Amino acid sequence: MSDGRDAAPAGVAILGSTGSIGTTALRVLDRHRDRFRVAALTAFTNGALLASQAAAHDAAFVGLVGDSEHCGPGWSAGEGCLLEAATRGDVDVVLNAVVGAAGLGATIAALESGKRVALANKESLVMGGDLVLDAARRGRGELVPVDSEHSAILQCIAGRPAREVRRLVLTASGGPFRAWSSARLAEATLADALQHPTWQMGRKITVDSATLANKALEVIEAHYLFGVPYDRIDVVVHPQSVVHSFVEFVDGSVLAQLGVPSMELPILYALTHPDRIGDSGVPAFDPVALSPLTFEAVRRVDFPCLDLGIAAGRAGGVAPAVFNAANEQAVALFLEGTIRFADISRAIDRALTDLGGAPAGSRDAILAADAAARRHVQEFFEC
Ligand code: NAD
Ligand code: MG
């Protein structure tokens, strides 16, 4: 982005503006109205919050995807809203903060239109990695991560060539069940899973953090973003969520990026990368107050979603899309109270075994695999 002093403010579209990332982003943008203008906002069903956000930021485009009855005057309605917002001429940056596979079309369309995509919606990159990278190449779009781990890696790599990177080490908080025994884990409830120790997030990613499916999605996301093979991406548990990830270089030197656990930092960086602008949204960094910083090995047997997801990433083809969709469907059933915590990994495992072997040559193949995996999980629990 330009330094913004003389240039007109950059237009930002926020897809999923009523969610955890969306509302955090609006707080950040509110402090930087000289550099950024909110051009477009979309939400799924929360029309009331969307209306107040649109009024506060004077958004030119407002879209409600899932509830046409509660649209305000002049709003757009239906799934097409995401594509419209993502490709508008007055939009320079698309913050994709939609949850789940529903974000794929907008990620691709924005990149094809040459936008910067500030990507919170990791699911779109996991399910359609090659398609997304290809869209960026064809449209000269730019993909910049919002996920704190990937933002950390981007900041540590700082433009150095891929040949200088030996290994990425993603940190994981370990979620609410990090220290639970295997026996206790079998009894984990929805309320337990929603008590994340360090981050306030939407319900789906909070459950993903409890199963470690989120970290599997992030390993796949890192593979595509940074072009690093899976055998050079590791995960370590770091309960304080202060070190956001490590990059080990070929000379053995290791860089890490640290910060208080607030998504305001990676959201702002995704907007300004590679530049930095002054901001005082989060408390000052105090290493003594944040001490101790500790690291543990992942309990891979007790949290099988991590290795299931990494195996899907390595397998390639439609496997990452199957992993993602099976996880989304199983988490939806868990959030409804229909299945137990341990059922999530069982359902993903079965879906990957039965459906994960096909190639992913096209968007249709990926969408078909996504739909098949959702049906598979549904039927797995019906019989
Ligand atoms: P959330 O549930 O709080 O918000 C989701 C947003 O997407 C809402 O505005 C909702 O209206 C919209 N939405 C939901 N379903 C939709 C659909 N089918 N079509 C269009 N819009 C839809 O979720 P969140 O925690 O803000 O997470 C959003 C994304 O960011 C996820 O991909 C998540 O993995 C990622 N992420 C979140 C955090 C975090 O701290 N919350 C951190 C890193 C990455
Ligand atoms: Mg993350």
Side-chain angles (χ1 to χ4, degrees), residues 27-51:
R27 249 189 345 263
V28 173
L29 290 170
D30 206 29
R31 297 197 292 270
H32 297 287
R33 287 183 183 242
D34 55 330
R35 292 179 187 259
F36 299 104
R37 166 182 50 80
V38 175
L41 296 171
T42 76
F44 193 51
T45 50
N46 192 345
L49 178 55
L50 184 63

Side-chain angles (χ1 to χ4, degrees), residues 45-240:
T45 50
N46 192 345
L49 178 55
L50 184 63
S52 71
Q53 293 177 334
H57 291 271
D58 199 18
F61 176 91
V62 186
L64 195 59
V65 174
D67 180 5
S68 54
E69 280 181 21
H70 291 94
C71 277
W75 291 10
S76 296
E79 274 179 33
C81 292
L82 296 178
L83 299 188
E84 259 185 273
T87 56
R88 286 173 62 88
D90 61 351
V91 165
D92 303 294
V93 183
V94 176
L95 171 59
N96 190 345
V98 168
V99 60
L104 177 67
T107 297
I108 289 178
L111 291 169
E112 280 174 342
S113 308
K115 313 291 187 197
R116 167 175 291 198
V117 174
L119 188 73
N121 178 250
K122 63 192 91 184
E123 295 92 340
S124 53
L125 188 56
V126 168
M127 66 189 289
D130 289 326
L131 294 180
V132 169
L133 297 185
D134 190 47
R137 264 191 301 270
R138 276 185 291 112
R140 296 172 185 258
E142 187 188 11
L143 198 54
V144 184
V146 166
D147 227 337
S148 56
E149 297 78 0
H150 307 75
S151 177
I153 291 167
L154 181 69
Q155 293 177 58
C156 291
I157 289 181
R160 300 307 305 167
R163 64 171 184 279
E164 293 185 3
V165 174
R166 180 187 288 164
R167 192 167 61 114
L168 308 179
V169 183
L170 275 68
T171 52
S173 71
F177 304 138
R178 177 182 62 84
W180 285 35
S181 68
S182 313
R184 194 173 167 213
L185 203 50
E187 305 303 321
T189 66
L190 174 59
D192 296 327
L194 291 176
Q195 295 297 319
H196 196 278
T198 47
W199 298 100
Q200 287 287 323
M201 308 179 286
R203 284 155 63 91
K204 189 256 177 185
I205 184 175
T206 302
V207 174
D208 287 353
S209 300
T211 60
L212 296 197
N214 181 54
K215 211 47 58 176
L217 295 172
E218 292 185 355
V219 168
I220 300 171
E221 183 185 7
H223 168 76
Y224 283 113
L225 282 172
F226 303 110
V228 174
Y230 287 101
D231 57 4
R232 295 199 276 122
I233 306 176
D234 287 339
V235 176
V236 68
V237 171
H238 168 48
Q240 297 82 18

